[in-house]
Amino acid sequence: MAQETPIEELDAIARGVDEAFAAARDDNELRQVTARFSGREGSLTRVMKRIPELPGAERKSFGQRVNEVKGRVERALATAAERLRSEARAKELAGPAIDITLPGRRPRLGRVHPIMRTLHEIIDVFSSLGFDVAEGPEVDHAENNFDRLGFPPDHPAMDMHDSFFLPSRTPSDRVLLRTHTSTVQVREMLSHPPPVQVVMPGAVFRRDDDATHSPMFFQLEGLMVDEDITLAHLRGVLEAFLHRLFGANVKTRFRASYFPFVEPGAEMDVECLICHGHNPACRVCKGTSWLEILGCGMVHPVVFESVGYDPERYKGFAFGMGIDRLTMLRYGIGDIRHLFENDVRFLGSL
Ligand code: FA5
């Protein structure tokens, strides 16, 4: 059989246009049909390439004819698109009616996390006692976390097993996730001359994990330095604070302790508000009826020297409290890990 001439092929293409577009059932099929005619591999593109087979006199009129068929394809596409739109609309109108008077669904409102609620309350109390608020970075140099605070070089906290060290650029620049907010008291003293009276909240990180220890937890550091600060100021501030947070009847206890950066050093406990001392198996107080909430003391002269304060002239106190532990006591939570499991049923009940 003789091969179709370009003109015969073009006529055949033109005859198929309307039928092809009428058969398209959705936008996707419409795109495919259009490509079959006018795409890079489409029949009109292919037939155009056959122009050299025609005698010179016929080429111009053939080109015009191809353009006419292209116009026909465009018109057929517009008609089919309009048909699909009205079919979709008719289907929508025939479907079940939407009752626009029904009330909408309320988006569920989030709440501030109990740790942050406690922290905000604590900051309010210290602000009312005249303290400023400052923050520092969570990643810091070991110098600020340990050295300037008078930690001896072989202190266990500097061990990789206790702290999260990060890769650093030079071996002498040891960088870690801070293990306490005491880094910020160092930074505050390096950047401000005395007097200072400031609290410094933030997240801290240790390799800890049990009912009262979390690997990431929150501390609030406090620092007050002036010429005549005494241990009595420290006790007065902490007691005023705890009475404001837990009420005037809360039982607290102040006992001697050791931190390299204070002398004398102390820790403060709050009575276990989970078992009130009645459960020897209590996981929070471990049957002692007390929960340690902070470490504190008078700033060691070594620290003043390392930040350039005159230890002969200035005295000061510092404390670092565990916000998560205070949150547990405040809301009666028996395991610190509940605070980080993100169960909205539990968090929403507090
Ligand atoms: C310190 O971190 C000292 N920097 C506190 C300090 C500051 C002392 C200024 C003197 C002067 P300590 O490691 O004891 O101390 O932690 C302080 C408080 O953080 C604890 O009393 C406890 O309430 C809380 N805490 C400690 N480890 C954890 C943990 N893994 N999870 C939750 N809370 C913790």
Side-chain angles (χ1 to χ4, degrees), residues 138-139 162-164 176-180 203-208 214-217:
E138 290 173 6
V139 173
D162 288 298
S163 307
F164 297 102
L176 76 164
L177 293 177
R178 65 181 175 194
T179 63
H180 52 180
V204 302
F205 308 84
R206 294 182 193 177
R207 292 183 191 267
D208 274 347
S214 162
M216 193 278 298
F217 61 102

Side-chain angles (χ1 to χ4, degrees), residues 51-69:
I51 277 193
E53 294 173 29
L54 294 168
E58 287 178 26
R59 290 182 186 173
K60 189 171 170 208
S61 64
F62 183 78
Q64 283 168 350
R65 178 100 176 89
V66 171
N67 281 339
E68 276 166 32
V69 180

